[in-house]
Amino acid sequence: MKTKIALIGRPNVGKSALFNRIIGKRISIVDEMEGVTRDRLYGEGDFFGRPFEIIDTGGMDPTGEVAFAEEVRRQAEIAIEEADSLILVVDAIIGVTTLDEEVARVLKRTTKPLCLAVNKIDGEHQEPLLAPFYGLGIQEVIPVSAVQGRNVVELLEKALAPCPELEEEEDSAAGIKVALIGRPNVGKSTMINKLLNESRCVVSPIPGTTRDNIDVEVTFEGETFTFIDTAGIRRKKSEHDVVDKFAAIRTERAIERADVCLLMLDAQEGLSHQDKRIMNQIENAGKGCLLFFNKWDLIKGVRMEHCYKSLEIEASFIQYCPMIFGSAKTGRHLDQIFSELRNVYHDMHQRISTGKLNQFLEKAMQRRHPPMIQGKRLRVYYMAQVTTAPPRFIFFVNDPKRMNDAYKKYLINQFRDAYRFSGTPLFFSLRGKKPRDEKKSEKRIIEETNLVFDN
């Protein structure tokens, strides 16, 4: 795990120029116009064998009239929260401004290691310009020149010195790692408490109570499951608080850490647009997914079978995900979670031999032959599995362009029928032959295309 350093300051003091100088690349746009940098930019550097990550931020100016000033401030606040060490960048030529003083007060309240980089000091003759900046109350003051690279090494040394060298983080979580994902106030923490039979997590009717990820171990029938309880993911326009944005970042990391994601939904509200977005996020990350419809005890006069059918119509991938209707509060059907998690985990790591895949392919193509396109027919020579967790497969064909959407969906559906891969996203790609160039060579040249099949 690398130490993170954030560059903070008001607009147009040279943060982006300093960022480019540190990483040795022109990634940030440098311009005299205010507000050019808006989003956080990340770069990697190495300080005498010690790797670190540097974050460039937009200028903090809550009173400014630059477009997206409020959003820029939020992005900077996220960087401050995320960083291990902070560098306040100021302009020596302009001198100390009221905004410099305000930003310095904000940074000092964080209690994180803080350095002051007084930029645009190109030589010793300009160092008297440092004097007013000592009034900001920051102990480490370093004169630098982003343009010339002056004292950048000294600045990094001061910024990294208070931070312990972090070893590569090893995930020591036991058993199957399960990320508990869902919208705020859907009952995630209530489920954790019920599984543990204790009040380990804070439970509150107020949406967004959980801010950090909490790892808890649950043993069921001799097998350990590590549940990662996460803060609820809000819609983008609902992320008013910077802490909500940071909670969303941590949730994304929880998905990356997990083997399987347990997506909790509110049975009273059904499958919302936000739930579909979260499902896409899980699928794109290549993680297994189990759906738990909570608060089913409050539903009256509706059969589960009808819910299954309506949900399959709303989202295609959902028909391959195991679904459990229960109640975290009463504990109804919670015991079914563990067997389904085992099944999804097993299918995520399932590997099918090339021989069996080609037998499947032969039967599928006999049932329905590939269509003729421009007088030529698609030929599929064979297929092979290249990875597990998530499973990835390659079709070796004569020409990828001859695989139309209809036949693509047919093969995927046939594959799902033969090898269900419960709750598992599948990724397929095509590899075709390049036509023989008789003038250059008579050898066959194989090229891979980036055509990915949607589930």
Side-chain angles (χ1 to χ4, degrees):
M1 189 175 179
K2 299 176 183 177
T3 302
K4 291 185 179 180
I5 304 172
L7 300 176
I8 311 295
R10 61 179 177 81
N12 208 27
V13 293
K15 296 185 298 300
S16 295
L18 185 57
F19 174 84
N20 290 341
R21 172 64 66 177
I22 289 172
I23 65 173
K25 298 177 183 177
R26 289 185 61 85
I27 294 181
S28 273
I29 301 173
V30 180
D31 194 282
E32 292 183 0
M33 183 179 68
E34 256 186 52
V36 172
T37 302
R38 290 177 181 170
D39 296 323
R40 306 185 312 282
L41 293 178
Y42 292 79
E44 294 185 352
D46 185 275
F47 184 76
F48 298 103
R50 179 177 179 180
F52 65 91
E53 195 168 11
I54 191 81
I55 310 172
D56 183 24
T57 64
M60 292 183 67
D61 185 3
T63 61
E65 297 180 356
V66 180
F68 304 106
E70 181 65 19
E71 180 61 25
V72 169
R73 182 185 65 80
R74 290 175 184 168
Q75 293 286 334
E77 288 174 340
I78 295 172
I80 294 169
E81 174 77 17
E82 192 175 357
D84 303 300
S85 183
L86 306 172
I87 295 177
L88 172 58
V89 184
V90 293
D91 188 330
I93 307 302
I94 301 297
V96 179
T97 68
T98 303
L99 190 51
D100 289 330
E101 294 173 346
E102 184 178 342
V103 175
R105 281 194 296 270
V106 171
L107 299 185
K108 285 190 291 185
R109 284 199 297 266
T110 66
T111 69
K112 293 187 176 184
L114 176 61
C115 296
L116 179 63
V118 185
N119 192 26
K120 303 181 184 179
I121 294 188
D122 300 329
E124 293 183 0
H125 65 284
Q126 289 182 301
E127 290 194 359
L129 296 175
L130 290 174
F133 292 98
Y134 285 98
L136 294 176
I138 299 174
Q139 185 174 355
E140 301 292 349
V141 181
I142 302 96
V144 300
S145 173
V147 174
Q148 297 185 8
R150 183 172 185 261
N151 287 343
V152 171
V153 172
E154 288 77 2
L155 175 64
L156 290 175
E157 182 181 14
K158 295 292 186 183
L160 290 169
C163 303
E165 291 196 39
L166 304 173
E167 297 181 0
E168 199 64 33
E169 190 176 272
E170 295 184 5
D171 203 330
S172 58
I176 299 175
K177 296 186 288 295
V178 183
L180 196 51
I181 311 295
R183 290 179 285 123
N185 204 33
V186 78
K188 300 184 295 297
S189 297
T190 303
M191 173 180 282
I192 291 291
N193 290 343
K194 195 68 178 180
L195 292 173
L196 291 171
N197 197 27
E198 62 181 31
S199 295
R200 172 69 179 273
C201 304
V202 177
V203 181
S204 169
I206 303 173
T209 300
T210 301
R211 294 298 194 186
D212 297 312
N213 297 341
I214 303 169
D215 290 18
V216 292
E217 291 185 3
V218 179
T219 302
F220 184 80
E221 295 181 349
E223 187 171 2
T224 301
F225 297 81
T226 299
F227 285 84
I228 309 167
D229 184 25
T230 62
I233 302 178
R234 298 176 183 271
R235 288 175 295 178
K236 288 295 181 184
K237 65 181 182 181
S238 299
E239 293 177 349
H240 299 300
D241 193 336
V242 66
V243 184
D244 290 330
K245 285 182 175 288
F246 201 63
I249 294 172
R250 286 175 173 161
T251 300
E252 290 174 8
R253 292 178 180 172
I255 293 174
E256 291 298 324
R257 284 180 54 207
D259 300 310
V260 182
C261 294
L262 176 54
L263 177 56
M264 287 193 71
L265 306 105
D266 192 323
Q268 295 176 294
E269 299 179 8
L271 192 66
S272 69
H273 177 75
Q274 177 68 358
D275 293 326
K276 293 178 184 178
R277 191 183 71 83
I278 297 172
M279 284 192 67
N280 289 334
Q281 187 177 350
I282 294 171
E283 184 180 1
N284 292 336
K287 302 298 180 178
C289 184
L290 167 64
L291 304 180
F292 185 87
F293 283 84
N294 194 26
K295 307 177 185 178
W296 186 250
D297 54 318
L298 303 179
I299 303 296
K300 306 297 181 184
V302 179
R303 296 176 63 88
M304 277 188 198
E305 293 81 1
H306 297 158
C307 285
Y308 275 115
K309 291 296 182 183
S310 62
L311 291 169
E312 288 178 2
I313 295 172
E314 288 191 63
S316 58
F317 180 62
I318 204 171
Q319 61 186 302
Y320 305 111
C321 294
M323 287 184 277
I324 299 174
F325 292 82
S327 171
K329 186 175 182 180
T330 65
R332 182 183 181 184
H333 293 163
L334 287 190
D335 56 333
Q336 296 180 12
I337 289 175
F338 300 100
S339 60
E340 293 293 355
L341 288 173
R342 286 196 201 101
N343 292 338
V344 174
Y345 181 82
H346 173 269
D347 286 358
M348 283 284 293
H349 292 81
Q350 182 181 181
R351 183 177 286 277
I352 305 173
S353 67
T354 302
K356 289 184 178 179
L357 289 174
N358 289 325
Q359 289 175 11
F360 151 77
L361 190 60
E362 183 179 356
K363 292 178 181 178
M365 294 182 69
Q366 284 177 351
R367 293 191 195 100
R368 180 176 171 182
H369 294 290
M372 297 282 287
I373 298 179
Q374 295 179 345
K376 294 184 179 180
R377 192 183 300 276
L378 170 74
R379 295 182 62 188
V380 184
Y381 301 116
Y382 66 97
M383 67 180 295
Q385 183 174 358
V386 292
T387 65
T388 62
R392 297 180 186 273
F393 303 87
I394 293 180
F395 285 102
F396 293 84
V397 301
N398 59 339
D399 186 356
K401 295 179 182 178
R402 304 198 184 283
M403 176 75 80
N404 62 18
D405 291 339
Y407 201 71
K408 174 177 67 176
K409 290 179 181 178
Y410 165 74
L411 288 178
I412 292 175
N413 291 334
Q414 291 292 306
F415 189 83
R416 285 282 190 186
D417 290 341
Y419 309 100
R420 179 168 171 77
F421 282 96
S422 177
T424 303
L426 301 177
F427 298 92
F428 297 86
S429 61
L430 301 175
R431 184 173 290 180
K433 287 193 308 180
K434 191 173 183 179
R436 189 184 307 175
D437 189 337
E438 296 179 354
K439 294 182 180 180
K440 294 183 179 180
S441 173
E442 293 186 356
K443 294 182 179 180
R444 289 182 176 179
I445 303 172
I446 305 298
E447 67 171 1
E448 184 173 349
T449 66
N450 292 323
L451 299 178
V452 178
F453 287 14
D454 297 323
N455 283 285

